[in-house]
Amino acid sequence: MKHHILKPFQFIMSLLFRLYFYSLVVPIVINNVALADITLSATLKDAQIELGESTQLSVTVNGATDASRPILPSVEGLQFISRGQNTQMQYINGKFSSTITFIYMLTPEKAGNYTIPPIQLESGGKIIESEALRLEVKDLSNSGLGNSNSGSQALGTLGQTTPFPDPERENSSAFLRIIIPKTTLYVGESVPVEIRAYFAEALRVSLNGTPTLTGGFFTLQDSKEEPRETHEVFSARSYTVLSWNSLLSAVKEGKLPLIAQLKATMLLRERPRLPNNSMFNNPFFDNDLFNFNEDILDNFFGSVREKSVNLKSPEQNLSVEALPQDGRPEIFDGAVGDFSMKIYSNTRNVEVGDPLTLNVKIAGVGNFDRVVKYSLTKYERWKIYSPAVKFKPLDNRGFHGEKVFEQVLIPQDPEIKELPVPIFAFFDPNKKEYKLLQGDPIPITVSETTASKQRSLVPQGAIEENSADTPIPKKHETSLA
Protein backbone atom coordinates (compact mmCIF):
# COMPACT_ATOMS: atom_id res chain seq x y z
CA MET A 1 0.00 0.00 0.00
CA LYS A 2 1.47 3.34 -1.02
CA HIS A 3 1.09 6.40 1.17
CA HIS A 4 0.23 9.77 -0.30
CA ILE A 5 2.02 12.74 1.28
CA LEU A 6 0.22 16.08 1.55
CA LYS A 7 1.96 19.34 2.33
CA PRO A 8 0.94 20.86 5.71
CA PHE A 9 -0.96 23.73 4.07
CA GLN A 10 -2.88 21.32 1.80
CA PHE A 11 -3.73 19.15 4.78
CA ILE A 12 -5.11 22.05 6.83
CA MET A 13 -7.19 23.39 3.94
CA SER A 14 -8.55 19.92 3.13
CA LEU A 15 -9.49 19.37 6.75
CA LEU A 16 -11.27 22.73 7.07
CA PHE A 17 -13.18 22.20 3.83
CA ARG A 18 -14.45 18.81 4.90
CA LEU A 19 -15.53 20.10 8.30
CA TYR A 20 -17.36 22.99 6.62
CA PHE A 21 -19.03 20.63 4.12
CA TYR A 22 -20.26 18.28 6.83
CA SER A 23 -21.59 21.12 8.98
CA LEU A 24 -23.77 22.28 6.09
CA VAL A 25 -24.79 19.06 4.42
CA VAL A 26 -25.32 16.55 7.22
CA PRO A 27 -28.34 18.31 8.83
CA ILE A 28 -30.00 18.63 5.43
CA VAL A 29 -29.33 14.98 4.63
CA ILE A 30 -30.78 13.82 7.90
CA ASN A 31 -33.93 15.87 7.49
CA ASN A 32 -34.53 14.75 3.91
CA VAL A 33 -33.61 11.09 4.19
CA ALA A 34 -35.55 10.56 7.37
CA LEU A 35 -38.71 11.16 5.40
CA ALA A 36 -37.88 8.61 2.70
CA ASP A 37 -39.31 5.09 2.61
CA ILE A 38 -36.96 2.56 4.10
CA THR A 39 -36.43 -0.74 2.25
CA LEU A 40 -34.32 -3.79 3.03
CA SER A 41 -32.66 -6.16 0.55
CA ALA A 42 -30.19 -9.05 0.84
CA THR A 43 -27.92 -10.62 -1.77
CA LEU A 44 -25.34 -13.41 -1.92
CA LYS A 45 -22.19 -12.90 -3.95
CA ASP A 46 -22.27 -16.59 -4.91
CA ALA A 47 -25.41 -18.71 -4.68
CA GLN A 48 -23.45 -21.92 -5.30
CA ILE A 49 -20.19 -22.71 -3.50
CA GLU A 50 -18.26 -25.77 -2.36
CA LEU A 51 -17.61 -27.02 1.14
CA GLY A 52 -14.65 -25.17 2.61
CA GLU A 53 -15.39 -21.95 0.73
CA SER A 54 -17.21 -18.85 1.93
CA THR A 55 -19.48 -16.34 0.23
CA GLN A 56 -20.36 -12.73 1.00
CA LEU A 57 -23.82 -11.75 2.26
CA SER A 58 -24.76 -8.08 1.75
CA VAL A 59 -27.74 -6.63 3.62
CA THR A 60 -28.65 -3.19 2.25
CA VAL A 61 -30.84 -0.59 3.94
CA ASN A 62 -32.11 2.08 1.55
CA GLY A 63 -33.55 5.39 2.74
CA ALA A 64 -31.97 5.70 6.21
CA THR A 65 -28.97 7.65 7.46
CA ASP A 66 -28.68 5.43 10.49
CA ALA A 67 -29.89 1.92 11.15
CA SER A 68 -29.60 -0.72 13.82
CA ARG A 69 -27.85 -3.94 12.92
CA PRO A 70 -30.12 -6.36 10.99
CA ILE A 71 -31.58 -9.35 12.77
CA LEU A 72 -30.02 -12.42 11.17
CA PRO A 73 -31.89 -15.73 11.21
CA SER A 74 -30.39 -18.81 12.77
CA VAL A 75 -29.65 -21.40 10.09
CA GLU A 76 -28.25 -24.76 11.17
CA GLY A 77 -24.97 -25.44 9.40
CA LEU A 78 -24.26 -21.82 8.44
CA GLN A 79 -21.93 -19.42 10.23
CA PHE A 80 -22.37 -15.62 9.87
CA ILE A 81 -19.30 -13.43 10.52
CA SER A 82 -19.63 -9.64 10.38
CA ARG A 83 -17.27 -7.80 8.04
CA GLY A 84 -18.42 -4.28 8.89
CA GLN A 85 -20.67 -1.83 7.11
CA ASN A 86 -20.56 0.87 4.44
CA THR A 87 -22.57 4.09 4.27
CA GLN A 88 -23.17 5.99 1.05
CA MET A 89 -24.99 9.32 0.65
CA GLN A 90 -25.77 11.08 -2.62
CA TYR A 91 -27.19 14.49 -3.55
CA ILE A 92 -28.67 14.44 -7.07
CA ASN A 93 -31.00 17.10 -8.51
CA GLY A 94 -31.79 18.51 -5.11
CA LYS A 95 -32.64 15.11 -3.59
CA PHE A 96 -30.65 13.18 -1.04
CA SER A 97 -30.43 9.41 -0.86
CA SER A 98 -28.72 7.18 1.66
CA THR A 99 -27.68 3.53 1.58
CA ILE A 100 -26.25 1.49 4.45
CA THR A 101 -24.81 -1.93 3.61
CA PHE A 102 -24.00 -4.51 6.28
CA ILE A 103 -21.49 -7.11 5.06
CA TYR A 104 -21.17 -10.66 6.41
CA MET A 105 -18.98 -13.63 5.54
CA LEU A 106 -21.17 -16.73 5.22
CA THR A 107 -19.37 -20.04 5.84
CA PRO A 108 -21.11 -23.45 5.61
CA GLU A 109 -20.21 -26.25 8.01
CA LYS A 110 -21.63 -29.02 5.83
CA ALA A 111 -22.87 -29.60 2.29
CA GLY A 112 -26.50 -29.24 1.31
CA ASN A 113 -29.17 -26.88 0.02
CA TYR A 114 -29.85 -24.04 2.45
CA THR A 115 -32.76 -21.60 2.63
CA ILE A 116 -31.93 -18.39 4.48
CA PRO A 117 -35.18 -16.94 5.88
CA PRO A 118 -35.94 -13.23 5.41
CA ILE A 119 -33.56 -10.94 7.29
CA GLN A 120 -35.34 -8.44 9.53
CA LEU A 121 -34.68 -4.82 10.51
CA GLU A 122 -36.47 -2.74 13.14
CA SER A 123 -37.15 0.82 11.99
CA GLY A 124 -39.55 3.34 13.50
CA GLY A 125 -41.25 0.71 15.60
CA LYS A 126 -41.89 -1.45 12.56
CA ILE A 127 -40.21 -4.63 11.30
CA ILE A 128 -39.23 -4.73 7.65
CA GLU A 129 -37.96 -7.86 5.93
CA SER A 130 -35.79 -8.82 2.97
CA GLU A 131 -36.52 -11.65 0.59
CA ALA A 132 -35.42 -15.21 1.43
CA LEU A 133 -32.16 -16.49 -0.10
CA ARG A 134 -31.02 -19.92 -1.29
CA LEU A 135 -27.49 -21.31 -1.08
CA GLU A 136 -26.23 -24.57 -2.57
CA VAL A 137 -23.10 -26.10 -0.99
CA LYS A 138 -21.43 -29.00 -2.78
CA ASP A 139 -19.01 -31.53 -1.30
CA LEU A 140 -16.86 -33.42 -3.79
CA SER A 141 -14.83 -35.24 -1.16
CA ASN A 142 -17.39 -38.07 -0.98
CA SER A 143 -17.35 -38.70 -4.70
CA GLY A 144 -13.75 -39.82 -4.97
CA LEU A 145 -10.72 -38.27 -6.57
CA GLY A 146 -12.22 -38.30 -10.02
CA ASN A 147 -14.48 -35.35 -9.44
CA SER A 148 -11.92 -32.57 -9.20
CA ASN A 149 -12.97 -29.92 -11.69
CA SER A 150 -11.96 -26.31 -12.17
CA GLY A 151 -8.43 -25.20 -11.56
CA SER A 152 -9.60 -21.97 -9.99
CA GLN A 153 -11.49 -23.71 -7.21
CA ALA A 154 -10.27 -23.56 -3.68
CA LEU A 155 -9.35 -26.69 -1.80
CA GLY A 156 -12.82 -26.73 -0.28
CA THR A 157 -13.87 -28.94 -3.19
CA LEU A 158 -11.96 -31.76 -1.54
CA GLY A 159 -12.90 -31.11 2.06
CA GLN A 160 -10.82 -29.55 4.81
CA THR A 161 -9.13 -30.93 7.90
CA THR A 162 -7.74 -27.66 9.26
CA PRO A 163 -10.14 -25.45 11.26
CA PHE A 164 -10.67 -21.85 10.27
CA PRO A 165 -8.01 -19.60 11.85
CA ASP A 166 -8.81 -17.55 14.90
CA PRO A 167 -6.59 -14.47 15.19
CA GLU A 168 -7.38 -14.13 18.91
CA ARG A 169 -5.70 -17.49 19.49
CA GLU A 170 -3.00 -16.70 16.94
CA ASN A 171 -2.22 -13.43 18.73
CA SER A 172 -0.46 -12.24 15.58
CA SER A 173 -0.98 -9.88 12.67
CA ALA A 174 0.35 -12.50 10.27
CA PHE A 175 0.05 -16.29 10.29
CA LEU A 176 0.06 -19.30 7.97
CA ARG A 177 -2.28 -22.24 7.39
CA ILE A 178 -1.96 -25.35 5.21
CA ILE A 179 -5.22 -27.06 4.27
CA ILE A 180 -5.17 -30.72 3.26
CA PRO A 181 -8.21 -32.93 2.51
CA LYS A 182 -6.90 -36.09 4.20
CA THR A 183 -4.53 -37.11 6.96
CA THR A 184 -3.77 -40.63 5.71
CA LEU A 185 -1.99 -41.15 2.41
CA TYR A 186 0.43 -43.41 0.57
CA VAL A 187 4.06 -42.88 -0.35
CA GLY A 188 4.17 -41.24 -3.78
CA GLU A 189 0.48 -40.28 -3.75
CA SER A 190 -0.25 -36.70 -4.87
CA VAL A 191 -2.65 -34.82 -2.59
CA PRO A 192 -4.04 -31.35 -3.41
CA VAL A 193 -3.24 -28.76 -0.75
CA GLU A 194 -3.87 -25.07 -0.29
CA ILE A 195 -1.52 -22.82 1.68
CA ARG A 196 -3.00 -19.58 3.01
CA ALA A 197 -1.03 -16.65 4.40
CA TYR A 198 -3.03 -14.17 6.51
CA PHE A 199 -1.83 -10.58 6.86
CA ALA A 200 -3.66 -7.85 8.76
CA GLU A 201 -4.81 -5.35 6.16
CA ALA A 202 -2.91 -2.51 7.85
CA LEU A 203 0.38 -4.30 7.16
CA ARG A 204 2.62 -3.68 4.19
CA VAL A 205 4.32 -6.96 3.29
CA SER A 206 6.92 -8.14 0.81
CA LEU A 207 7.15 -11.89 0.19
CA ASN A 208 10.58 -13.49 0.03
CA GLY A 209 9.66 -16.46 -2.13
CA THR A 210 6.85 -19.02 -2.08
CA PRO A 211 5.79 -21.41 0.72
CA THR A 212 7.95 -24.46 1.43
CA LEU A 213 7.69 -27.50 3.71
CA THR A 214 9.99 -28.27 6.61
CA GLY A 215 11.52 -31.59 7.66
CA GLY A 216 12.13 -33.16 4.26
CA PHE A 217 9.27 -35.66 4.73
CA PHE A 218 7.11 -34.24 1.96
CA THR A 219 7.62 -32.59 -1.40
CA LEU A 220 5.60 -29.64 -2.66
CA GLN A 221 5.04 -29.07 -6.36
CA ASP A 222 6.63 -25.84 -7.57
CA SER A 223 4.09 -23.29 -8.72
CA LYS A 224 4.88 -20.40 -11.05
CA GLU A 225 1.44 -18.85 -10.63
CA GLU A 226 0.88 -15.75 -8.54
CA PRO A 227 -1.04 -16.36 -5.29
CA ARG A 228 -4.77 -15.70 -5.29
CA GLU A 229 -5.69 -12.69 -3.14
CA THR A 230 -8.89 -12.55 -1.10
CA HIS A 231 -10.08 -10.75 2.01
CA GLU A 232 -11.51 -12.30 5.16
CA VAL A 233 -12.65 -11.03 8.55
CA PHE A 234 -12.12 -12.86 11.83
CA SER A 235 -13.06 -11.47 15.21
CA ALA A 236 -13.86 -8.08 13.60
CA ARG A 237 -10.33 -7.83 12.14
CA SER A 238 -9.78 -7.67 8.39
CA TYR A 239 -7.09 -9.79 6.74
CA THR A 240 -5.61 -9.99 3.28
CA VAL A 241 -5.29 -13.68 2.42
CA LEU A 242 -2.80 -15.00 -0.14
CA SER A 243 -3.50 -18.56 -1.32
CA TRP A 244 -1.31 -21.01 -3.20
CA ASN A 245 -2.67 -24.25 -4.72
CA SER A 246 -0.20 -27.10 -5.01
CA LEU A 247 0.32 -30.87 -4.79
CA LEU A 248 1.90 -32.59 -1.81
CA SER A 249 3.60 -35.98 -1.90
CA ALA A 250 5.20 -38.05 0.88
CA VAL A 251 8.68 -39.48 0.33
CA LYS A 252 8.68 -41.96 3.23
CA GLU A 253 6.26 -43.86 5.42
CA GLY A 254 5.43 -43.27 9.07
CA LYS A 255 3.71 -40.76 11.34
CA LEU A 256 5.15 -37.56 9.93
CA PRO A 257 4.74 -33.88 10.89
CA LEU A 258 3.56 -31.48 8.19
CA ILE A 259 4.61 -27.84 8.60
CA ALA A 260 4.57 -25.13 5.94
CA GLN A 261 6.68 -22.00 6.16
CA LEU A 262 6.81 -18.67 4.35
CA LYS A 263 9.46 -15.97 4.60
CA ALA A 264 8.36 -12.37 4.33
CA THR A 265 9.41 -8.85 5.19
CA MET A 266 6.91 -6.64 6.99
CA LEU A 267 7.11 -2.86 6.96
CA LEU A 268 6.11 -1.70 10.43
CA ARG A 269 5.06 1.91 10.94
CA GLU A 270 6.27 3.51 14.13
CA ARG A 271 4.03 6.47 14.91
CA PRO A 272 5.10 9.27 17.22
CA ARG A 273 3.55 9.60 20.64
CA LEU A 274 1.12 12.50 20.41
CA PRO A 275 0.08 14.69 23.33
CA ASN A 276 -3.12 13.62 25.02
CA ASN A 277 -4.80 16.87 24.05
CA SER A 278 -3.93 16.45 20.35
CA MET A 279 -6.96 16.75 18.11
CA PHE A 280 -5.81 13.64 16.22
CA ASN A 281 -6.41 11.52 19.32
CA ASN A 282 -10.12 12.34 19.11
CA PRO A 283 -12.21 9.35 17.92
CA PHE A 284 -13.94 11.75 15.51
CA PHE A 285 -10.90 11.49 13.25
CA ASP A 286 -11.27 7.72 12.98
CA ASN A 287 -14.08 8.31 10.47
CA ASP A 288 -13.39 7.27 6.87
CA LEU A 289 -13.72 10.90 5.90
CA PHE A 290 -10.32 11.53 7.48
CA ASN A 291 -8.57 8.37 6.34
CA PHE A 292 -5.70 10.48 5.01
CA ASN A 293 -4.80 11.49 8.58
CA GLU A 294 -2.80 8.36 9.43
CA ASP A 295 -0.75 8.53 6.27
CA ILE A 296 0.13 12.18 6.83
CA LEU A 297 1.20 11.61 10.41
CA ASP A 298 3.28 8.59 9.47
CA ASN A 299 5.09 10.33 6.65
CA PHE A 300 5.74 13.60 8.47
CA PHE A 301 6.36 12.47 12.01
CA GLY A 302 6.67 8.70 11.97
CA SER A 303 9.10 6.14 10.56
CA VAL A 304 9.01 2.74 8.92
CA ARG A 305 11.21 -0.22 9.79
CA GLU A 306 11.58 -3.62 8.17
CA LYS A 307 11.05 -6.84 10.07
CA SER A 308 11.91 -10.24 8.56
CA VAL A 309 9.58 -13.03 9.62
CA ASN A 310 9.35 -16.74 8.94
CA LEU A 311 5.71 -17.73 9.25
CA LYS A 312 5.03 -21.37 10.10
CA SER A 313 1.75 -23.25 10.04
CA PRO A 314 0.65 -25.32 13.05
CA GLU A 315 2.01 -28.84 12.97
CA GLN A 316 -0.27 -31.52 11.54
CA ASN A 317 0.57 -35.20 11.86
CA LEU A 318 -0.05 -37.27 8.76
CA SER A 319 -0.07 -41.05 8.59
CA VAL A 320 1.84 -42.21 5.51
CA GLU A 321 1.61 -45.84 4.41
CA ALA A 322 3.85 -47.72 2.01
CA LEU A 323 2.29 -49.09 -1.16
CA PRO A 324 1.38 -52.75 -0.60
CA GLN A 325 3.55 -55.48 -2.06
CA ASP A 326 0.72 -57.97 -2.35
CA GLY A 327 -0.86 -57.90 -5.78
CA ARG A 328 1.64 -55.43 -7.23
CA PRO A 329 1.93 -56.08 -11.00
CA GLU A 330 5.37 -56.29 -12.56
CA ILE A 331 4.59 -53.42 -14.91
CA PHE A 332 3.58 -51.05 -12.09
CA ASP A 333 5.69 -47.91 -12.32
CA GLY A 334 4.44 -45.77 -9.41
CA ALA A 335 1.19 -44.24 -10.71
CA VAL A 336 -1.25 -43.58 -7.85
CA GLY A 337 -4.73 -42.18 -8.41
CA ASP A 338 -7.84 -42.95 -10.44
CA PHE A 339 -7.29 -43.24 -14.18
CA SER A 340 -8.95 -44.33 -17.41
CA MET A 341 -7.38 -45.24 -20.76
CA LYS A 342 -8.43 -44.75 -24.37
CA ILE A 343 -6.55 -45.92 -27.49
CA TYR A 344 -6.92 -45.03 -31.16
CA SER A 345 -4.87 -45.00 -34.36
CA ASN A 346 -4.58 -42.66 -37.32
CA THR A 347 -4.88 -45.42 -39.91
CA ARG A 348 -6.13 -48.98 -40.35
CA ASN A 349 -4.49 -49.86 -43.71
CA VAL A 350 -0.72 -49.90 -44.11
CA GLU A 351 2.02 -51.66 -46.03
CA VAL A 352 4.88 -53.62 -44.49
CA GLY A 353 7.50 -51.08 -43.38
CA ASP A 354 5.11 -48.15 -43.24
CA PRO A 355 4.96 -46.38 -39.85
CA LEU A 356 1.66 -45.72 -38.14
CA THR A 357 0.86 -43.94 -34.88
CA LEU A 358 -0.78 -45.54 -31.85
CA ASN A 359 -2.36 -42.91 -29.58
CA VAL A 360 -2.86 -43.77 -25.91
CA LYS A 361 -4.68 -41.26 -23.69
CA ILE A 362 -4.57 -41.77 -19.91
CA ALA A 363 -6.91 -39.40 -18.06
CA GLY A 364 -8.06 -38.95 -14.48
CA VAL A 365 -6.62 -37.63 -11.22
CA GLY A 366 -3.38 -38.51 -9.48
CA ASN A 367 0.38 -38.20 -9.67
CA PHE A 368 0.75 -37.63 -13.41
CA ASP A 369 4.50 -37.17 -12.96
CA ARG A 370 4.62 -40.95 -12.41
CA VAL A 371 2.38 -41.75 -15.38
CA VAL A 372 5.44 -42.15 -17.57
CA LYS A 373 4.75 -45.26 -19.62
CA TYR A 374 2.55 -48.24 -20.31
CA SER A 375 3.39 -51.70 -21.60
CA LEU A 376 2.56 -53.36 -24.91
CA THR A 377 1.80 -57.00 -25.42
CA LYS A 378 4.73 -58.76 -27.03
CA TYR A 379 4.73 -58.73 -30.86
CA GLU A 380 7.97 -59.85 -32.46
CA ARG A 381 6.73 -58.77 -35.91
CA TRP A 382 6.66 -55.07 -34.97
CA LYS A 383 9.26 -52.39 -34.58
CA ILE A 384 8.31 -50.10 -31.74
CA TYR A 385 9.64 -46.59 -31.02
CA SER A 386 9.54 -44.50 -27.83
CA PRO A 387 6.39 -42.37 -27.70
CA ALA A 388 6.11 -38.60 -27.73
CA VAL A 389 4.29 -37.47 -24.59
CA LYS A 390 1.96 -34.50 -24.09
CA PHE A 391 0.29 -33.57 -20.79
CA LYS A 392 -2.81 -31.37 -20.58
CA PRO A 393 -3.67 -30.25 -17.01
CA LEU A 394 -7.35 -29.71 -16.31
CA ASP A 395 -6.80 -27.75 -13.09
CA ASN A 396 -4.18 -25.33 -11.80
CA ARG A 397 -2.35 -28.03 -9.85
CA GLY A 398 -1.96 -30.68 -12.53
CA PHE A 399 -3.85 -33.10 -10.29
CA HIS A 400 -6.68 -33.54 -12.78
CA GLY A 401 -5.61 -33.95 -16.40
CA GLU A 402 -4.85 -36.18 -19.33
CA LYS A 403 -1.60 -37.45 -20.79
CA VAL A 404 -1.40 -38.51 -24.44
CA PHE A 405 1.29 -40.86 -25.79
CA GLU A 406 1.89 -40.86 -29.55
CA GLN A 407 3.87 -43.98 -30.38
CA VAL A 408 5.25 -44.93 -33.79
CA LEU A 409 4.84 -48.61 -34.74
CA ILE A 410 6.10 -50.33 -37.91
CA PRO A 411 4.63 -53.69 -39.02
CA GLN A 412 7.12 -56.25 -40.31
CA ASP A 413 4.74 -58.97 -41.54
CA PRO A 414 1.67 -58.87 -43.84
CA GLU A 415 0.03 -61.50 -41.62
CA ILE A 416 -0.45 -58.98 -38.79
CA LYS A 417 -4.17 -58.45 -38.09
CA GLU A 418 -4.24 -56.04 -35.13
CA LEU A 419 -2.21 -53.43 -33.28
CA PRO A 420 -0.31 -54.22 -30.09
CA VAL A 421 -2.51 -53.79 -27.01
CA PRO A 422 -1.36 -51.26 -24.34
CA ILE A 423 -1.53 -52.20 -20.67
CA PHE A 424 -1.35 -49.64 -17.84
CA ALA A 425 -1.09 -50.36 -14.10
CA PHE A 426 -1.86 -48.01 -11.20
CA PHE A 427 -2.74 -48.06 -7.52
CA ASP A 428 -6.17 -46.76 -6.44
CA PRO A 429 -5.77 -45.15 -2.95
CA ASN A 430 -9.54 -44.99 -2.40
CA LYS A 431 -10.11 -48.70 -2.99
CA LYS A 432 -6.62 -49.60 -1.71
CA GLU A 433 -5.88 -51.94 -4.59
CA TYR A 434 -3.90 -52.19 -7.82
CA LYS A 435 -5.72 -52.00 -11.13
CA LEU A 436 -4.88 -52.78 -14.73
CA LEU A 437 -6.28 -50.99 -17.75
CA GLN A 438 -6.14 -52.80 -21.08
CA GLY A 439 -7.31 -51.43 -24.41
CA ASP A 440 -9.36 -53.30 -26.98
CA PRO A 441 -7.35 -54.68 -29.93
CA ILE A 442 -7.56 -52.42 -33.00
CA PRO A 443 -7.83 -54.41 -36.25
CA ILE A 444 -5.61 -53.35 -39.16
CA THR A 445 -4.76 -54.56 -42.65
CA VAL A 446 -1.08 -54.94 -43.58
CA SER A 447 -0.19 -55.53 -47.24
CA GLU A 448 3.05 -56.49 -48.99
CA THR A 449 5.45 -53.77 -50.09
CA THR A 450 9.02 -53.34 -51.14
CA ALA A 451 11.65 -53.27 -48.46
CA SER A 452 14.01 -50.37 -47.83
CA LYS A 453 11.47 -47.57 -47.35
CA GLN A 454 10.70 -48.07 -43.66
CA ARG A 455 13.64 -45.99 -42.38
CA SER A 456 12.85 -43.03 -44.59
CA LEU A 457 9.27 -42.87 -43.26
CA VAL A 458 10.07 -43.03 -39.54
CA PRO A 459 9.56 -39.60 -37.89
CA GLN A 460 12.79 -37.78 -37.12
CA GLY A 461 13.98 -38.30 -33.55
CA ALA A 462 12.04 -41.53 -32.98
CA ILE A 463 14.03 -44.06 -30.94
CA GLU A 464 13.51 -47.77 -31.33
CA GLU A 465 12.85 -49.61 -28.06
CA ASN A 466 12.55 -53.19 -26.87
CA SER A 467 8.87 -54.11 -26.48
CA ALA A 468 9.28 -57.39 -24.63
CA ASP A 469 6.89 -57.45 -21.67
CA THR A 470 5.19 -59.94 -19.41
CA PRO A 471 1.94 -61.24 -20.96
CA ILE A 472 -1.16 -59.78 -19.26
CA PRO A 473 -4.62 -61.34 -18.95
CA LYS A 474 -6.94 -59.80 -21.55
CA LYS A 475 -9.46 -57.82 -19.51
CA HIS A 476 -10.43 -54.18 -19.77
CA GLU A 477 -9.84 -53.60 -16.06
CA THR A 478 -8.46 -56.18 -13.66
CA SER A 479 -8.36 -55.74 -9.89
CA LEU A 480 -5.32 -57.37 -8.32
CA ALA A 481 -6.15 -56.78 -4.68
Side-chain angles (χ1 to χ4, degrees):
M1 180 183 298
K2 295 183 179 179
H3 292 277
H4 302 282
I5 301 177
L6 298 177
K7 294 180 179 180
F9 177 76
Q10 292 175 315
F11 163 65
I12 295 173
M13 294 302 296
S14 177
L15 178 61
L16 292 176
F17 174 78
R18 295 185 183 213
L19 289 173
Y20 178 72
F21 175 82
Y22 260 55
S23 67
L24 294 178
V25 172
V26 170
I28 302 175
V29 172
I30 294 176
N31 291 333
N32 281 270
V33 175
L35 300 177
D37 292 334
I38 297 178
T39 61
L40 184 67
S41 62
T43 58
L44 289 174
K45 184 178 180 181
D46 300 294
Q48 184 181 88
I49 61 175
E50 293 165 357
L51 189 61
E53 296 181 331
S54 300
T55 186
Q56 180 175 296
L57 168 65
S58 299
V59 181
T60 302
V61 183
N62 291 295
T65 58
D66 190 18
S68 60
R69 188 167 294 276
I71 304 171
L72 297 179
S74 176
V75 182
E76 184 180 357
L78 293 182
Q79 180 183 12
F80 297 85
I81 302 176
S82 174
R83 294 190 61 172
Q85 68 184 66
N86 298 322
T87 301
Q88 181 180 4
M89 290 183 290
Q90 293 181 327
Y91 180 70
I92 302 176
N93 297 328
K95 295 183 179 180
F96 285 94
S97 63
S98 175
T99 299
I100 304 174
T101 302
F102 297 87
I103 301 175
Y104 300 88
M105 182 62 66
L106 187 59
T107 303
E109 298 175 351
K110 58 184 178 180
N113 292 316
Y114 293 90
T115 296
I116 303 174
I119 297 171
Q120 298 181 339
L121 178 72
E122 183 177 356
S123 176
K126 297 181 179 181
I127 298 294
I128 57 177
E129 295 184 343
S130 70
E131 64 278 10
L133 300 174
R134 287 180 173 79
L135 175 67
E136 181 181 359
V137 181
K138 294 183 177 180
D139 182 9
L140 300 186
S141 61
N142 294 327
S143 56
L145 294 173
N147 289 333
S148 179
N149 295 322
S150 170
S152 63
Q153 294 170 348
L155 191 63
T157 60
L158 298 174
Q160 177 172 308
T161 62
T162 304
F164 292 106
D166 185 347
E168 290 185 348
R169 288 197 293 266
E170 293 287 344
N171 193 28
S172 175
S173 295
F175 51 94
L176 196 67
R177 279 287 185 267
I178 181 168
I179 302 172
I180 184 169
K182 56 195 300 185
T183 57
T184 300
L185 59 152
Y186 289 91
V187 174
E189 178 184 358
S190 290
V191 179
V193 295
E194 182 178 354
I195 299 177
R196 298 178 184 175
Y198 292 78
F199 298 99
E201 288 193 346
L203 288 178
R204 289 178 290 176
V205 180
S206 175
L207 300 182
N208 302 328
T210 56
T212 59
L213 302 178
T214 66
F217 306 118
F218 304 92
T219 61
L220 194 65
Q221 174 185 272
D222 292 333
S223 176
K224 298 181 181 180
E225 294 186 358
E226 293 294 323
R228 180 170 56 95
E229 181 177 334
T230 57
H231 299 273
E232 298 183 23
V233 173
F234 298 99
S235 299
R237 190 174 189 182
S238 298
Y239 286 83
T240 297
V241 185
L242 301 180
S243 303
W244 291 264
N245 293 323
S246 188
L247 290 176
L248 175 144
S249 181
V251 299
K252 60 180 295 184
E253 59 183 292
K255 195 79 170 180
L256 306 177
L258 173 64
I259 302 175
Q261 63 179 0
L262 175 66
K263 295 182 179 180
T265 299
M266 297 191 298
L267 301 180
L268 303 179
R269 295 177 294 188
E270 296 181 333
R271 297 186 59 179
R273 182 170 298 176
L274 299 175
N276 291 332
N277 59 354
S278 171
M279 71 174 181
F280 297 112
N281 285 327
N282 193 307
F284 174 73
F285 291 95
D286 291 336
N287 191 284
D288 289 342
L289 175 66
F290 306 100
N291 57 14
F292 58 83
N293 173 46
E294 184 177 333
D295 289 349
I296 295 172
L297 288 177
D298 289 342
N299 285 289
F300 274 94
F301 309 110
S303 62
V304 176
R305 66 181 177 89
E306 293 185 353
K307 180 181 179 181
S308 297
V309 295
N310 186 19
L311 304 178
K312 290 188 176 182
S313 66
E315 179 178 313
Q316 300 182 63
N317 291 317
L318 303 187
S319 178
V320 182
E321 302 178 12
L323 293 174
Q325 294 293 331
D326 293 342
R328 178 181 297 191
E330 294 183 14
I331 63 172
F332 175 71
D333 205 36
V336 180
D338 187 6
F339 303 98
S340 63
M341 184 174 67
K342 179 180 179 181
I343 64 172
Y344 52 96
S345 179
N346 59 344
T347 182
R348 301 294 179 90
N349 298 283
V350 294
E351 296 180 349
V352 172
D354 285 347
L356 57 82
T357 301
L358 174 66
N359 297 276
V360 180
K361 181 171 72 173
I362 298 176
V365 292
N367 57 348
F368 274 96
D369 59 323
R370 299 302 299 271
V371 181
V372 293
K373 66 179 182 179
Y374 49 86
S375 296
L376 293 175
T377 52
K378 182 178 179 181
Y379 282 107
E380 297 179 353
R381 297 174 296 175
W382 288 86
K383 280 197 173 181
I384 300 174
Y385 292 81
S386 297
V389 183
K390 299 177 182 178
F391 176 61
K392 179 182 178 181
L394 300 180
D395 62 15
N396 61 349
R397 298 180 179 94
F399 180 64
H400 182 203
E402 55 187 35
K403 185 170 282 190
V404 177
F405 300 81
E406 298 177 350
Q407 188 162 28
V408 175
L409 310 174
I410 299 179
Q412 303 294 296
D413 192 323
E415 298 299 321
I416 293 176
K417 302 300 181 184
E418 60 185 33
L419 289 173
V421 177
I423 309 291
F424 175 67
F426 67 93
F427 181 77
D428 187 333
N430 286 336
K431 296 185 177 180
K432 301 182 179 182
E433 62 184 16
Y434 291 97
K435 291 183 178 180
L436 288 176
L437 300 178
Q438 179 171 336
D440 291 322
I442 298 178
I444 62 170
T445 300
V446 181
S447 58
E448 293 278 5
T449 189
T450 58
S452 78
K453 78 174 189 176
Q454 80 176 49
R455 286 294 179 188
S456 63
L457 295 177
V458 176
Q460 186 176 1
I463 301 174
E464 185 176 348
E465 64 178 21
N466 187 348
S467 63
D469 290 301
T470 304
I472 303 297
K474 293 185 177 181
K475 293 184 180 179
H476 297 297
E477 181 175 310
T478 305
S479 174
L480 299 182

